[in-house]
Amino acid sequence: MSHRALFLDRDGIFNELVYRDGAFHSPRNWGEVKHFHLESLKPFKDLGFKLILVTNQPDIERGIISHGFVEELNAFYFKNFELDAAYVCPFSSNEHPLKKPNPGMFLLAKKEMDLDLSKSFLVGDTDKDVIAARNCGVTSIVWERDYNKNLKSDFRVTSIKEIEKILRNGSID
Ligand SMILES: [Mg+2]
């Protein structure tokens, strides 16, 4: 039987974005990492969901962030939140099939982990996440931040508890 997945974006969900030169960026080193306070993801594991990180890291290809640091930070979340897999797109071209809003990372995970995408969810903070999910039939959940007030998605949340309600009941109410 195929598994259900909860796909999780990294920057803006697990850690804050770094505001630099008029735009938001991924942290480049540990000194720039500010973790959000995120409760345990264990309820989702208990519901049978695979927890899968899906993160665009185009600054790797641009030579601005080291692959090693991205892997270190991912490994930290992997361990602390008992994730099942992490997919990283290091490429900067918007045409690359792995780079969100293209659904390549989701499709790769589907193949490698035997997932039912129609019963899977994504938690993200930007339009790239929402569109990538929509492009492969995954239900989108936006975590509300100051910068995504106008972003349309299937659900909007501000807590792990709300996500749990959606995954259990199909609604926040
Ligand atoms: Mg993000």
Side-chain angles (χ1 to χ4, degrees):
M1 200 182 81
S2 298
H3 303 284
R4 297 189 291 175
L6 179 62
F7 292 99
L8 298 139
D9 177 37
R10 195 193 75 185
D11 301 322
I13 302 299
F14 287 92
N15 57 272
E16 293 184 28
L17 301 174
V18 180
Y19 192 71
R20 184 192 305 125
D21 305 329
F24 289 109
H25 299 273
S26 305
R28 293 175 181 173
N29 52 56
W30 283 107
E32 290 187 342
V33 176
K34 280 189 192 162
H35 303 293
F36 281 114
H37 175 71
L38 204 59
E39 290 168 66
S40 168
L41 303 177
K42 191 154 182 311
F44 307 126
K45 287 189 93 87
D46 293 345
L47 287 170
F49 283 85
K50 297 285 181 193
L51 303 178
I52 305 173
L53 197 73
V54 279
T55 178
N56 282 355
Q57 295 295 332
D59 284 350
I60 293 176
E61 190 181 65
R62 295 181 187 123
I64 296 169
I65 293 182
S66 79
H67 204 280
F69 171 66
V70 170
E71 293 295 330
E72 270 181 43
L73 185 53
N74 290 355
F76 175 84
Y77 293 128
F78 206 91
K79 180 161 170 274
N80 280 275
F81 292 94
E82 298 181 65
L83 305 181
D84 294 291
Y87 290 85
V88 177
C89 174
F91 306 108
S92 57
S93 165
N94 290 332
E95 309 305 314
H96 198 285
L98 291 179
K99 187 166 186 265
K100 296 177 285 186
N102 301 315
M105 288 193 282
F106 298 73
L107 298 176
L108 192 56
K110 172 188 156 71
K111 198 169 142 195
E112 291 181 344
M113 301 179 70
D114 186 21
L115 306 176
D116 183 345
L117 295 183
S118 72
K119 293 181 180 156
S120 297
F121 296 79
L122 156 104
V123 179
D125 66 328
T126 68
D127 58 342
K128 288 191 176 71
D129 300 316
V130 172
I131 297 165
R134 193 178 296 149
N135 279 338
C136 60
V138 167
T139 303
S140 59
I141 302 172
V142 162
W143 196 297
E144 285 196 15
R145 304 287 182 207
D146 292 342
Y147 50 81
N148 66 27
K149 294 264 185 262
N150 298 318
L151 181 53
K152 297 249 186 311
S153 58
D154 295 312
F155 296 99
R156 295 180 66 84
V157 300
T158 54
S159 70
I160 291 289
K161 273 271 165 283
E162 287 177 332
I163 298 173
E164 197 182 333
K165 281 185 190 169
I166 294 166
L167 270 54
R168 276 185 190 281
N169 313 323
S171 81
I172 293 185
D173 311 314

